[in-house]
Amino acid sequence: MTDIVITKRLIEKHKEAMKSYPYNINIIDELHADENAHSRILMKLLQFNEDKSFPILDSFLKELEINENITNPEFTSDSSDRIDLLIKDEKYAIIVENKIHDAIDQENQLNRYIEEVERKGFDSLYIIYLTKDGREPTNGSLSEERKRRLKIEGRFYSLSYKDNILPWMEERILPICRIEEENLSSALRQYIDHLKGLFMERKIDKELNETMEKHIIEELKLENITSEDKIKYLQKFMNEITKLHTIADNICREEIYQYFSQWKLELQNKFGNQKNIIEDNFLENGIKGFTNEYPRVGIKFVYKGLMFVCIIETRMSDYKNPYIVFWAPGHKKHKIIKEFLENSIVTIDKNLRINKKFNTEENEIQGWFYTYPLYRKYDDIFNILINICNNTIKELEKNKTNS
């Protein structure tokens, strides 16, 4: 109980200390940029050109000691082959895999990307694996033998946003931005500030950390003891905090499970046929919980013999609210579903927005089409889903009648 009381007091002191600092707003913070957004931002920066040169891309290559001539670079992000960022020039290509938010490596992910790009016949192919801390991909994503060979050939880089990208942007790129490139320098400053925020490197963070260190020492009464005893007491306190975090996390997951279970039952009551109900990642045999971090419930639809779904989904690990998405599982005729949604979307729900680019590549695995904007409250989202599903059923009936 004492640790809970101390923790609550420290939280209040943290809130109080925050009030004394200047107001801070960062647009990227507020938009909750995911890996795809970070890849697009990096792409837009590298794309900058003046007088047929690409100074930021040039600086990036030099930073990595990649000795390639920049002639006519092409940039794609979130492409058909799912590569986060692909840079192609006449003789070389660069694959950038972005894991800034610690997304899990997929099985054979980098192996698959490499094989896909190698088939296009570039003289050189470089792999950049971008994370918060510079960790390397798993052997399941990039085989140990291939990684070893790429390293020997100087074509593999594990980069850290904190130790590589942030210093490069702040020390190399920002100083060369011309005064007249106001939008570029403004975007760069915002992005640098956002990255500093992720790593608690803002000036306000450093000052706040110093203030909170003093409060922790006072609350735990560590002022007049030896360094070894301080370490012992702090480790004990951190262990207790970890236990409290685990308990709170379990409570949170139980509440999320209750929402999804209730939604599943209500969908069965409203739409009847069990075959039409999506209930992904629930544990079986009556066990409460999910098989992974992405629970889903929703409805299956069929249009011209092709199945697509509308689901509520959330990612439990980051405690964000749920969202709604239309999704067509992997097949080569996504275009048919896409056209139906494009023609019907205003009637279904005018708030729905395209989320990822549609593509017609034959190697397409899955197609993401429309999402309800931003995250919604748990108490509100189910009614939104029901409304969307009812309107989708009406549109499908209308198309049947007209065909």
Side-chain angles (χ1 to χ4, degrees), residues 3-36:
D3 288 324
I4 294 177
V5 171
I6 291 173
T7 303
K8 287 178 71 175
R9 282 206 297 262
L10 287 171
I11 290 170
E12 290 305 314
K13 287 183 177 181
H14 184 271
K15 289 178 181 176
E16 197 59 36
M18 285 289 290
K19 293 177 184 177
S20 64
Y21 289 98
Y23 182 71
N24 183 67
I25 181 170
N26 184 293
I27 300 299
I28 304 171
D29 288 355
E30 298 307 313
L31 293 175
H32 306 290
D34 60 10
E35 268 97 356
N36 291 331

Side-chain angles (χ1 to χ4, degrees), residues 47-289:
Q47 277 181 321
F48 172 69
N49 68 86
E50 53 182 7
D51 301 324
K52 298 183 179 179
S53 68
F54 293 79
I56 298 180
L57 176 60
D58 182 61
S59 172
F60 188 62
L61 297 186
K62 285 177 179 173
E63 194 76 12
L64 300 178
E65 299 181 353
I66 294 177
N67 298 314
E68 298 284 357
N69 294 322
I70 301 171
T71 53
N72 187 30
E74 296 179 11
F75 305 81
T76 54
S77 178
D78 189 28
S79 59
S80 61
D81 39 28
R82 300 288 169 188
I83 296 172
D84 289 332
L85 173 56
L86 179 63
I87 304 166
K88 298 183 293 185
D89 213 324
E90 291 179 2
K91 294 186 177 181
Y92 67 92
I94 301 171
I95 292 172
V96 180
E97 179 59 21
N98 202 324
K99 301 287 187 183
I100 189 169
H101 292 312
D102 302 319
I104 297 171
D105 287 334
Q106 298 170 27
E107 190 65 25
N108 267 324
Q109 187 174 19
L110 284 174
N111 288 329
R112 193 171 65 248
Y113 294 168
I114 290 168
E115 289 160 11
E116 176 68 26
V117 177
E118 279 180 340
R119 283 197 287 269
K120 296 175 183 176
F122 294 99
D123 293 349
S124 301
L125 173 60
Y126 302 88
I127 312 301
I128 297 173
Y129 190 74
L130 259 177
T131 63
K132 284 180 181 177
D133 54 9
R135 67 179 169 85
E136 294 195 349
T138 62
N139 292 339
S141 173
L142 179 64
S143 67
E144 196 167 359
E145 173 56 29
R146 179 172 262 157
K147 191 193 306 180
R148 186 187 67 79
R149 190 174 71 250
L150 287 168
K151 284 182 177 181
I152 291 171
E153 295 169 356
R155 297 191 288 118
F156 177 80
Y157 303 84
S158 286
L159 299 185
S160 156
Y161 266 96
K162 182 179 180 181
D163 298 325
N164 301 114
I165 299 300
L166 180 54
W168 167 68
M169 287 183 172
E170 189 169 31
E171 297 166 15
R172 301 277 194 275
I173 303 307
L174 195 56
I176 67 172
C177 286
R178 298 184 303 181
I179 295 172
E180 55 267 33
E181 294 292 348
E182 185 180 344
N183 288 344
L184 174 63
S185 59
S186 172
L188 193 54
R189 288 178 195 280
Q190 280 275 295
Y191 193 51
I192 288 169
D193 180 69
H194 173 70
L195 291 178
K196 285 185 173 182
L198 283 180
F199 303 117
M200 301 293 285
E201 292 286 331
R202 288 170 176 153
K203 183 182 176 184
I204 182 175
D205 294 323
K206 292 177 180 178
E207 292 175 357
L208 193 57
N209 286 348
E210 289 175 5
T211 300
M212 290 309 299
E213 283 173 15
K214 292 175 184 174
H215 286 316
I216 289 171
I217 288 170
E218 288 171 4
E219 285 289 343
L220 297 179
K221 297 180 171 45
L222 306 178
E223 299 97 326
N224 301 313
I225 62 174
T226 65
S227 294
E228 185 162 349
D229 283 341
K230 272 186 188 176
I231 293 169
K232 183 174 70 175
Y233 283 116
L234 285 167
Q235 286 175 335
K236 181 177 179 292
F237 182 65
M238 286 188 292
N239 287 336
E240 293 303 318
I241 294 297
T242 301
K243 289 176 187 175
L244 291 173
H245 179 275
T246 301
I247 293 167
D249 181 67
N250 288 338
I251 295 170
C252 184
R253 287 168 182 269
E254 286 171 11
E255 293 297 326
I256 291 172
Y257 178 81
Q258 292 303 323
Y259 271 111
F260 275 81
S261 298
Q262 184 61 34
W263 293 337
K264 182 174 71 171
L265 289 173
E266 292 191 34
L267 285 172
Q268 290 168 356
N269 291 335
K270 287 179 184 292
F271 296 99
N273 190 343
Q274 179 67 31
K275 291 180 181 178
N276 293 332
I277 307 300
I278 295 287
E279 44 176 304
D280 277 356
N281 305 324
F282 283 74
L283 288 172
E284 296 179 350
N285 302 320
I287 301 171
K288 293 182 178 180

